[in-house]
């Protein structure tokens, strides 16, 4: 089995933001990740919701409306993803949060 290390990052929107899709014939683990509150305009707290979209298109909450104070960040838990599963992030305000993930892919 080959192992690849893949980064993923994005500004988190107020609608579901796709950060990662597990490629075909691959299993993935988000082994490290952070979400930072970078709202320098309003300097306010914001919430993050993280969901996994299963292959059958149903959604499972990994983190639901967790607050992140201004200037702080949230360390994410490890998240295992099967082939074809997608990882979505959603904030309570557009571009107030940024996410950075480190992912291991096994093929």
């Amino acid at each position: 089995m080959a192992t690849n290390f893949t980064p993923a990052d994005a500004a988190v929107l107020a609608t579901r933001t796709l950060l990662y899709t597990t490629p075909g014939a691959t299993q993935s683990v988000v082994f490290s990740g952070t979400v930072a509150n970078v709202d320098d305009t309003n300097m306010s707290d914001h919430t993050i919701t993280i969901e996994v979209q299963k292959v059958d298109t149903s959604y499972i909450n990994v983190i639901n409306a967790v607050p992140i104070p201004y200037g702080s960040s949230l360390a994410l838990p490890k998240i295992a993803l099967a082939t074809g599963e997608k990882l979505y992030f959603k904030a309570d305000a557009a571009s107030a949060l940024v996410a950075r993930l480190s992912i291991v892919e096994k093929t």
Side-chain angles (χ1 to χ4, degrees):
M1 291 181 83
T3 302
N4 296 315
F5 295 90
T6 304
D9 51 30
V12 182
L13 304 177
T15 57
R16 284 185 176 133
T17 306
L18 177 64
L19 248 67
Y20 178 76
T21 301
T22 303
T26 304
Q27 296 176 330
S28 302
V29 175
V30 176
F31 70 90
S32 176
T34 57
V35 179
N37 183 336
V38 294
D39 185 9
D40 290 332
T41 302
N42 300 313
M43 297 184 186
S44 58
D45 298 352
H46 293 283
T47 60
I48 183 75
T49 297
I50 301 174
E51 299 173 306
V52 172
Q53 183 183 25
K54 309 293 280 176
V55 177
D56 67 5
T57 69
S58 64
Y59 288 88
I60 296 174
N61 279 349
V62 176
I63 291 177
N64 189 34
V66 172
I68 302 174
Y70 169 71
S72 297
S73 60
L74 174 70
L76 302 179
K78 290 177 178 55
I79 304 168
L81 300 165
T83 298
E85 291 186 335
K86 299 177 181 182
L87 192 59
Y88 286 92
F89 285 47
K90 181 181 175 185
D92 64 345
S95 300
L97 303 176
V98 294
R100 173 72 176 179
L101 307 177
S102 297
I103 302 161
V104 175
E105 298 176 333
K106 290 258 189 194
T107 55

